[in-house]
Amino acid sequence: MTTTTSDVGSGAQPPSPVTSENPNHQRRWLVLCIVAFAQLMVVLDGTIVSIALPAAQEELGISDLDRAWVVTSYALAFGALLLLGGRIADYWGRKRSFIVGMAGFAIASGIGGIAQTGMELFIARAGQGVFAALLAPAALAMLTTTFIGEKERAKAFAVYGAISGGGAAIGLLLGGVLTQYVDWRWCLLVNIPIALIAIAAAVPVIKETKAHGDTSYDLPGAVLIALGLGSLVYGFTRAEHGWGQTDTLLFIGLGLVFLALFVFVESRTKNPLLPLSVPWHRDRGAALIGSMLVGAALLGGTLYLTFYLQIVLGFSPVMAGVGSLAMTFFIVIATAIAAQLSTQIGPKPLMLAGPLFAAVGLLLLTQIEVDSSYWTHVFPGLAFFGFGLGLLLVPMQNLALIGVPDHDAGAASALVNATLQIGGALGTALFTTIYASAKSAFSADNAMPAPPEGLPAEMIPTDMANAALPSADQLSLLPQPVQDFISSLTDYFFGAEVAGYSAVFGWAALLIAVITPVVFVLVRAKKGDLPAEGAVHMG
């Protein structure tokens, strides 16, 4: 891995259109605060609705099979358009793209907050993803062009990594508070004041930067990557009804064809949407593969953990959010450690160890039962999972952007976010299928409890969706045979749910563990290869 040396110093320099010097360097810590604030909004929005999902599902009449689209529609639109958003940020201006993205995100959030049907909510969430695809790469490109020195850049990425990993759990907590004490709709409406604060801070503080040279847009590439990723995710979603179904195979096949065409077009385009040298570099490629697998495990894991805490353990939305904070706490600890160690031992040891810690945490979560204790089963899993993510995220994000020229900063930054979000979308679709299959297998292996004689058939629920089970006080007033039947029925339904959740955690552990052999084989970067003072590392 090489970097291009220039006369760029570590201090402020007169701006020049032909170098990667950045006018924001003197106020870099203020820029970091603004970028971190915006990134927090983007990341937590991927999970903040997870806590609100049961309430939103009930009010808007969303089915169990369709509820995943509240998460998937956001992640899909976000990931599919991120590469185009990165190029727009490079060419149109990173500050301008940041502000427009924040404003559009706020508007889409407002539309979602007043949605009256499930489809309206899905569309609003997709709208959020569209503007996040403009906002996120602009924010990360500003960050990577502003911090030049190795130690300062490590600190900046530690903050960014902590937010990227911890934002998911913070979203669960904030979503719990808003859902329980205000209304689930505020899980979307809360983005409006957040966006206004970020815009008000960005306008006077951040100075405009953009790429120079060839700034033509690769529209065929943008269309192909959006169609490819969209078809692939939709195909995974349809797999709920069977992997051998015609529509499942058709959309997955079309997705792969479109992605292959995208690679073909990019290799022959003068100014491609994604220069293939960015992902084809072995160190960056390993980091991008890791980012996609982290996205799948993180989003899928937190979504089904939320369901377990609320549906099975009976946690309130707020307590479910509080319970998820353990992951954030250990992510913050691990990112601080990783920021120090990455400049001393290089990225590879951390990227080897992090996935293993995270996988152990997810495997611990597979041991949950209907009556498990949070402290003995959930907390240890979240602790290992969060610590592993923290060790992994800082070197992974740094390595994914190393050595990229200034002209491609937005595209490379977009690719980091795209892999994370597409991983989340694919993971959610895949885990929905795994969850449904595990529930079906549980039902096939375990007979539903037999009702007592004389109980009308219409009073016997056939699944959790129509099981209007009585409260403890109501249950005590019923005859003992009915009480026993209701208790057995509850255990049966919850057992099926837990079987589904455990299967998801197990597959998530497998996905994130794959990062370790990938890093072992591909990563060659050592601590001396990280960006140093005076190097034009990527802009």
Side-chain angles (χ1 to χ4, degrees):
M1 182 184 317
T2 60
T3 56
T4 304
T5 303
S6 76
D7 295 327
V8 180
S10 58
Q13 300 286 336
S16 170
V18 293
T19 71
S20 64
E21 300 170 38
N22 192 289
N24 292 307
H25 184 68
Q26 283 187 317
R27 54 186 70 186
R28 57 193 178 280
W29 299 112
L30 285 175
V31 173
L32 174 60
C33 291
I34 296 170
V35 168
F37 192 63
Q39 177 67 8
L40 177 62
M41 182 186 75
V42 171
V43 173
L44 69 81
D45 209 74
T47 57
I48 191 172
V49 296
S50 297
I51 287 285
L53 194 50
Q57 181 180 0
E58 181 179 357
E59 182 174 334
L60 300 181
I62 302 172
S63 70
D64 285 345
L65 289 180
D66 288 338
R67 68 184 178 186
W69 278 104
V70 177
V71 176
T72 302
S73 59
Y74 173 79
L76 175 57
F78 189 7
L81 297 175
L82 263 167
L83 292 177
L84 179 60
R87 272 302 185 218
I88 293 174
D90 279 338
Y91 300 163
W92 193 42
R94 291 150 189 161
K95 176 181 177 179
R96 184 181 291 119
S97 299
F98 179 84
I99 292 173
V100 171
M102 291 292 292
F105 196 93
I107 292 171
S109 299
I111 294 173
I114 61 174
Q116 299 300 308
T117 66
M119 184 56 67
E120 290 177 6
L121 181 58
F122 301 156
I123 292 173
R125 290 284 289 163
Q128 286 181 304
V130 170
F131 285 101
L134 182 62
L135 161 66
L140 185 54
M142 287 192 296
L143 180 66
T144 54
T145 55
T146 299
F147 287 87
I148 298 175
E150 178 183 350
K151 292 183 179 180
E152 285 190 352
R153 195 162 185 256
K155 292 178 182 177
F157 273 93
V159 173
Y160 192 85
I163 288 174
S164 296
I170 294 173
L172 296 177
L173 175 60
L174 182 58
V177 172
L178 293 174
T179 300
Q180 185 166 335
Y181 294 114
V182 189
D183 188 270
W184 69 265
R185 296 179 180 277
W186 275 97
C187 292
L188 295 163
L189 297 175
V190 71
N191 291 320
I192 297 175
I194 293 176
L196 292 176
I197 292 171
I199 291 172
V203 169
V205 171
I206 299 175
K207 295 183 179 180
E208 186 64 278
T209 61
K210 61 175 68 175
H212 299 275
D214 191 345
T215 56
S216 58
Y217 289 101
D218 173 23
L219 293 181
V223 172
L224 286 172
I225 191 66
L227 289 175
L229 293 174
S231 297
L232 198 61
V233 172
Y234 187 71
F236 272 87
T237 303
R238 298 301 299 171
E240 299 167 1
H241 307 290
W243 289 97
Q245 295 292 320
T246 302
D247 56 348
T248 300
L249 297 175
L250 174 64
F251 280 104
I252 291 177
L254 282 175
L256 294 175
V257 169
F258 282 130
L259 291 178
L261 287 174
F262 171 75
V263 173
F264 177 80
V265 169
E266 297 305 277
S267 67
R268 285 160 175 76
T269 300
K270 180 181 178 181
N271 191 35
L273 180 70
L274 175 65
L276 296 182
S277 60
V278 174
W280 276 184
H281 186 287
R282 61 186 300 158
D283 290 306
R284 290 196 295 266
L288 294 170
I289 292 171
S291 179
M292 179 172 290
L293 294 173
V294 165
L298 180 61
L299 194 56
T302 54
L303 178 64
Y304 285 92
L305 176 65
T306 298
F307 293 154
Y308 174 68
L309 293 177
Q310 290 193 76
I311 295 174
V312 178
L313 296 189
F315 280 29
S316 67
V318 170
M319 291 310 298
V322 171
S324 302
L325 279 183
M327 182 174 71
T328 303
F329 176 76
F330 284 95
I331 285 176
V332 171
I333 291 176
T335 52
I337 295 173
Q340 294 293 325
L341 292 180
S342 61
T343 59
Q344 298 174 16
I345 64 175
K348 188 168 184 176
L350 297 171
M351 294 179 69
L352 288 172
L356 298 180
F357 275 99
V360 168
L362 288 166
L363 288 176
L364 289 174
L365 290 176
T366 64
Q367 303 305 304
I368 58 172
E369 298 176 357
V370 173
D371 56 353
S372 292
S373 164
Y374 170 84
W375 292 107
T376 59
H377 286 75
V378 178
F379 179 81
L382 290 179
F384 274 92
F385 186 43
F387 190 80
L389 285 178
L391 289 182
L392 174 63
L393 287 171
V394 173
M396 183 180 72
Q397 290 174 332
N398 203 334
L399 200 62
L401 299 170
I402 198 170
V404 180
D406 178 74
H407 185 272
D408 298 325
S413 302
L415 187 58
V416 177
N417 276 295
T419 52
L420 192 67
Q421 293 299 323
I422 289 300
L426 289 172
T428 301
L430 177 63
F431 292 152
T432 299
T433 305
I434 293 169
Y435 161 79
S437 298
K439 281 187 64 176
S440 298
F442 179 91
S443 298
D445 295 338
N446 298 271
M448 182 179 289
E453 293 185 7
L455 189 65
E458 61 270 15
M459 294 181 62
I460 304 174
T462 56
D463 55 44
M464 281 292 292
N466 61 17
L469 300 176
S471 65
D473 291 339
Q474 293 172 328
L475 188 63
S476 64
L477 301 177
L478 298 175
Q480 189 60 47
V482 177
Q483 290 187 39
D484 294 340
F485 169 68
I486 295 296
S487 296
S488 299
L489 195 63
T490 302
D491 289 341
Y492 174 82
F493 286 145
F494 284 167
E497 292 291 319
V498 169
Y501 305 151
S502 296
V504 167
F505 296 142
W507 277 92
L510 177 62
L511 288 180
I512 205 164
V514 169
I515 298 174
T516 293
V518 170
V519 169
F520 181 80
V521 172
L522 294 181
V523 173
R524 292 291 179 267
K526 299 180 173 55
K527 65 176 183 178
D529 298 320
L530 296 177
E533 296 286 350
V536 181
H537 44 82
M538 63 163 287

